[in-house]
Structures are given as structure tokens and as C-alpha cells.
Amino acid sequence: SMPSLPAPIFTFGRYEVLGRLATGGMAEIYLAQEKSTGGVVRPTVVKVLRQAFVDDDEFEGEYSK
């Protein structure tokens, strides 16, 4: 049988975030599960940029292409 996942620590849109996997200089990486409207649950990873990079117009122009 499939191992059980931990309870979500927070929800981000359609993603239930289960825990932090890593932290780096630019972002944090989280293990999450995506829940579709049809009830399908899919494990996934969410990368969240640090606030300093979100507010940096030069960074956005460089990486949003």
C-alpha cells in the first residue's frame, strides 16, 4: 500500500503544501500535492522565490521570458 503523507502545513491555490524540502539563496522548495476538481491527487513540488527576488524588477525581466 501507499505510504501516508503528512497533513498539509498550508494551502497555496490548488496545492496543499506538506513540508519544506530545501532552502537556497533564491527560493524554497516544498513537497506538495495538487488536488484537481475531479478529486485526483497528484504529488508535486512547488518552488517559491524569496521576497527579495519577487520585488526585483531586473530579476523579473531576466527570468520571466
Side-chain angles (χ1 to χ4, degrees), residues 7 18 26 46 58:
L18 306 174
M26 292 175 39
V46 176
E58 189 173 317

Side-chain angles (χ1 to χ4, degrees), residues 10-57:
F10 66 91
T11 301
F12 180 73
R14 66 180 185 262
Y15 302 98
E16 291 182 340
V17 178
L18 306 174
R20 183 172 35 209
L21 295 174
T23 301
M26 292 175 39
E28 294 181 322
I29 308 297
Y30 293 93
L31 173 63
Q33 58 186 13
E34 178 184 14
K35 289 193 165 186
S36 72
T37 55
V40 175
V41 177
R42 182 173 64 153
T44 190
V45 174
V46 176
K47 183 175 186 177
V48 180
L49 287 177
R50 292 188 177 270
Q51 192 63 44
F53 291 101
V54 171
D55 295 334
D56 185 341
D57 291 336

